[in-house]
Amino acid sequence: MYEDSLTIVQLRQYFFCPRISWYQINSYSPPKENIWMRQGNEYHEHREELLKKKLLKRFSDKDVKLSYRVSVYSEKLKIHGIVDAVLQSENQIYPIEFKMNPVSKTKGIIFQMIGYALCLEEKYNVKIEKGFLVSGK
């Protein structure tokens, strides 16, 4: 299913440096875990815990579901990825992306969020108009 599709992170990476994307696509070895990957994983775990606490307070009277590390795929666009979190209410779905550094909304990050939203639209057959970028330490 994923052999003929691009990862959404590769799309984001392309806007930063097209050569990195080319290398990732044409390299047949998986990336080795490095200190930045470990820091990113720890950051995501920390953000997940904070988000659980804050959302429980904010939406305690509403019926919402919060899922983490949701796999998404678009057959139509041939892209796939893992959304950091997805917030679902009765009739709306919001992709949530965690970024460790307080960043401006770069073109790559915007396209990453759009990619996740398009995959979620295809998966759940709903229109997604908003997503959330959670950044900072």
Side-chain angles (χ1 to χ4, degrees), residues 111-123:
F111 272 84
Q112 183 180 14
M113 290 295 288
I114 290 170
Y116 290 143
L118 292 170
C119 288
L120 288 167
E121 283 183 354
E122 190 173 316
K123 183 175 183 173

Side-chain angles (χ1 to χ4, degrees), residues 51 55 58-59 83-85 87 93-99 113 130-135:
L51 199 56
L55 279 175
R58 180 176 248 186
F59 293 105
V83 185
D84 289 338
L87 177 65
I93 296 176
Y94 304 98
I96 302 171
E97 179 64 20
F98 302 133
K99 295 295 178 196
M113 290 295 288
K130 293 181 186 176
F132 296 101
L133 177 62
V134 179
S135 65

Side-chain angles (χ1 to χ4, degrees), residues 59-76:
F59 293 105
S60 60
D61 60 336
K62 296 180 178 87
D63 187 25
V64 297
K65 178 182 175 190
L66 183 61
S67 304
Y68 295 99
R69 301 174 193 182
V70 178
S71 293
V72 293
Y73 176 75
S74 171
E75 180 69 37
K76 188 173 22 175

Side-chain angles (χ1 to χ4, degrees), residues 19-106:
R19 286 181 284 190
I20 294 173
S21 291
W22 181 91
Y23 179 77
Q24 289 174 338
I25 291 167
N26 292 294
S27 169
Y28 298 105
S29 60
K32 295 177 183 170
E33 185 172 310
N34 57 41
I35 189 168
W36 298 283
M37 294 170 103
R38 281 194 299 278
Q39 287 176 343
N41 288 335
E42 290 169 6
Y43 174 77
H44 278 76
E45 290 169 8
H46 176 69
R47 277 289 163 193
E48 287 174 14
E49 288 302 315
L50 287 176
L51 199 56
K52 283 179 195 174
K53 291 176 187 175
K54 288 182 178 185
L55 279 175
L56 288 176
K57 287 180 184 176
R58 180 176 248 186
F59 293 105
S60 60
D61 60 336
K62 296 180 178 87
D63 187 25
V64 297
K65 178 182 175 190
L66 183 61
S67 304
Y68 295 99
R69 301 174 193 182
V70 178
S71 293
V72 293
Y73 176 75
S74 171
E75 180 69 37
K76 188 173 22 175
L77 299 173
K78 300 294 185 200
I79 57 174
H80 70 278
I82 299 174
V83 185
D84 289 338
V86 175
L87 177 65
Q88 293 176 269
S89 65
E90 290 178 17
N91 55 0
Q92 293 180 321
I93 296 176
Y94 304 98
I96 302 171
E97 179 64 20
F98 302 133
K99 295 295 178 196
M100 193 156 82
N101 296 322
V103 294
S104 61
K105 291 180 259 180
T106 64

